[in-house]
Amino acid sequence: MIFIIIAILVATFVTSNIHCASVPTDSFVQSRYHDHSQLTSALTSLANKYPGLARVFSIGKSVQGKDLWVIQISDKVHEREYLEPKFKYVANMHGNEAVGRELLINLATYLLESYNTSSRVRSLVDNTDIYLMPSMNPDGFEKANMHNCYGVQGRENYLGVDLNRDFPEQHSHTQKTTFAPETAAVMNWIQQEPNFVLSANLHGGAIVANYPYDSSPGNTGGSGTYSASPDDGLFRSLAMTYSSHHHDMRTGRNCGDYFQNGITNGAFWYDVRGGMQDYNYLHSNCYEITLELSCCKYPDGRNLPTYWNTNKESLLSFMEKVHSGIQGVVQDSNGHFVHKAVITLDSIKHPVYTSDKGEFWRLATPGHHTVTVTVPNCPSASVQVTVTDQRPTLVTAKVDLNTNTIKMLAV
């Protein structure tokens, strides 16, 4: 019997190595984590090497004064391109969940190094305003310990605040007025115009794509209560985009859990009050999901190349979804942009609003939809559109100031 067990273990080891060896790792991927100083240096070096494609800036500081770095990547990174959608990834919100931190450093490097060699990457960078934040909680990361798979050391910020419970909560009778500096910085960033269109928040401790809502009425931390947002079908589709391209996530069986198709409604899994993904959806035009990417929260650095190989295609495919659905512009008959025009889709009770330049982006699943535009002092106007997976459908709306009517055109 012992020889059979040994044979099985050897076979498993060999098979595992064959699988890993069949997917070459990009040369820049390192088998170690970056501390805050090294992260700063890595991002700064990329911006210096690719000054026309990347810039690094801080949206604020942590409790201990560490910069909350973001690297922005676009073909015209120093100017705002009209109707170009904004996308973001945020990682390391829980300081001890470390894999996402390294994935975003690798993703930034990959996008910049591949710009001149990959038509897919060039198209993504040319047509998307991309923002990557490798660490929202640098203080917590400094306290966390590698190989601590299930503990909580470093999870919270320096003052003991769980940042993913620190955002305004939709079911609370009394709204918070003070927030951790990291939370406040991200909230201010999310509110900048134009708003982000699509986003994901990278975590660890499971392998699943989690979509809103994270909280439900009357639930206080339990599980099993499905809390559907008005865009439940769209969110399921977005989560499936990530999971279906992930070799392990799509099976649904990881870390002792089972999630059908590798996705879950947040509140159905367990109730989270004050989470970031719900805040994005309820307080901006951004659609965000939460990605759990490793069973072990802070695995050995030697495993980082494998995590990159496993997530690379999913990271790219999810980003490309920012170019789905409907986008457009609302102007008046004098050519002025209409700010805060209300855009609704079908009977879904979740509007998006035009930017200060009249732009809007409304993600949608493929099919036939009715887009309605509403502005003050005018009757609403609607147009029928067909959404495909190929490119976003363009809608223009012109407000006639003489007749107080809206004319709409779908292309």
Side-chain angles (χ1 to χ4, degrees):
M1 176 63 73
I2 190 169
F3 295 106
I4 295 174
I5 294 172
I6 292 172
I8 292 172
L9 290 173
V10 170
T12 302
F13 176 79
V14 171
T15 302
S16 175
N17 277 298
I18 289 173
H19 172 70
C20 291
S22 66
V23 184
T25 302
D26 293 301
S27 60
F28 56 79
V29 178
Q30 299 180 14
S31 298
R32 65 174 181 83
Y33 292 92
H34 294 71
D35 63 22
H36 188 69
S37 175
Q38 293 163 340
L39 183 152
T40 302
S41 178
L43 298 184
T44 303
S45 295
L46 286 173
N48 290 338
K49 186 176 181 181
Y50 301 96
L53 296 175
R55 75 180 184 101
V56 175
F57 63 96
S58 172
I59 66 164
K61 292 184 181 293
S62 68
V63 174
Q64 291 189 299
K66 297 182 182 69
D67 280 297
L68 303 177
W69 293 120
V70 173
I71 183 167
Q72 178 188 3
I73 298 173
S74 189
D75 65 323
K76 296 178 181 177
V77 74
H78 297 290
E79 63 182 87
R80 171 70 201 156
E81 293 189 74
Y82 193 60
L83 269 179
E84 186 171 83
K86 290 171 63 176
F87 176 95
K88 65 179 165 69
Y89 277 130
V90 176
N92 202 211
M93 183 182 200
H94 290 146
N96 62 330
E97 298 172 14
V99 170
R101 179 186 178 101
E102 299 304 316
L103 287 178
L104 294 193
I105 297 172
N106 292 337
L107 179 60
T109 306
Y110 175 75
L111 292 174
L112 294 169
E113 289 197 354
S114 303
Y115 180 76
N116 289 320
T117 58
S118 167
S119 59
R120 180 188 189 185
V121 170
R122 178 181 284 270
S123 177
L124 192 56
V125 172
D126 283 354
N127 296 292
T128 319
D129 200 6
I130 301 166
Y131 297 78
L132 309 176
M133 176 186 279
S135 182
M136 183 180 166
N137 187 4
D139 295 349
F141 178 78
E142 297 295 329
K143 292 172 60 178
N145 294 316
M146 189 165 62
H147 305 136
N148 190 339
C149 292
Y150 311 109
V152 296
Q153 183 172 340
R155 174 186 175 89
E156 300 169 337
N157 78 345
Y158 186 74
L159 295 179
V161 176
D162 185 328
L163 300 179
N164 206 31
R165 308 293 189 278
D166 194 41
F167 286 80
E169 161 54 33
Q170 62 173 318
H171 301 299
S172 175
H173 297 297
T174 58
Q175 290 299 326
K176 296 178 60 171
T177 57
T178 59
F179 303 91
E182 298 91 345
T183 309
V186 169
M187 288 171 60
N188 289 335
W189 185 40
I190 290 170
Q191 294 303 323
Q192 291 177 6
E193 290 204 25
N195 289 168
F196 291 99
V197 177
L198 182 61
S199 174
N201 178 13
L202 280 56
H203 285 251
I207 298 179
V208 66
N210 171 353
Y211 57 90
Y213 286 131
D214 255 342
S215 65
S216 59
N219 204 336
T220 55
S223 61
T225 302
Y226 196 108
S227 185
S229 75
D231 279 291
D232 188 64
L234 172 61
F235 273 121
R236 288 178 59 84
S237 176
L238 291 171
M240 280 290 294
T241 296
Y242 200 94
S243 68
S244 65
H245 291 93
H246 191 291
H247 179 270
D248 298 320
M249 189 181 293
R250 66 189 180 203
T251 70
R253 299 188 183 277
N254 299 284
C255 319
D257 300 317
Y258 176 67
F259 301 101
Q260 187 174 7
N261 298 318
I263 68 174
T264 185
N265 173 258
F268 184 77
W269 184 18
Y270 63 92
D271 202 79
V272 171
R273 297 292 173 118
M276 186 164 70
Q277 73 174 5
D278 287 4
Y279 176 82
N280 273 269
Y281 181 64
L282 293 167
H283 296 276
S284 78
N285 292 326
C286 187
Y287 292 77
E288 177 168 289
I289 67 172
T290 299
L291 301 170
E292 303 278 353
L293 301 178
S294 60
C295 297
C296 180
K297 294 179 181 179
Y298 197 160
D300 194 296
R302 290 173 294 183
N303 296 324
L304 289 172
T306 299
Y307 284 113
W308 170 247
N309 285 340
T310 305
N311 287 278
K312 176 181 175 181
E313 178 58 34
S314 292
L315 289 166
L316 295 172
S317 296
F318 185 76
M319 292 174 71
E320 289 168 337
K321 280 295 180 180
V322 78
H323 296 288
S324 61
I326 302 147
Q327 66 180 40
V329 60
V330 181
Q331 291 179 296
D332 66 25
S333 50
N334 291 331
H336 298 143
F337 300 123
V338 179
H339 188 206
K340 295 295 185 183
V342 181
I343 313 298
T344 54
L345 187 68
D346 302 329
S347 59
I348 298 172
K349 295 180 179 179
H350 181 77
V352 297
Y353 300 89
T354 54
S355 73
D356 54 1
K357 293 187 177 179
E359 309 151 289
F360 72 87
W361 299 263
R362 212 314 178 174
L363 298 184
T365 55
H368 301 294
H369 297 279
T370 301
V371 182
T372 300
V373 173
T374 304
V375 300
N377 304 317
C378 286
S380 298
S382 300
V383 66
Q384 303 293 317
V385 302
T386 300
V387 171
T388 71
D389 276 330
Q390 304 305 313
R391 62 180 179 84
T393 299
L394 181 63
V395 171
T396 60
K398 182 69 67 72
V399 180
D400 190 322
L401 297 176
N402 295 318
T403 61
N404 288 335
T405 58
I406 304 173
K407 297 179 181 179
M408 297 183 63
L409 176 67
V411 180

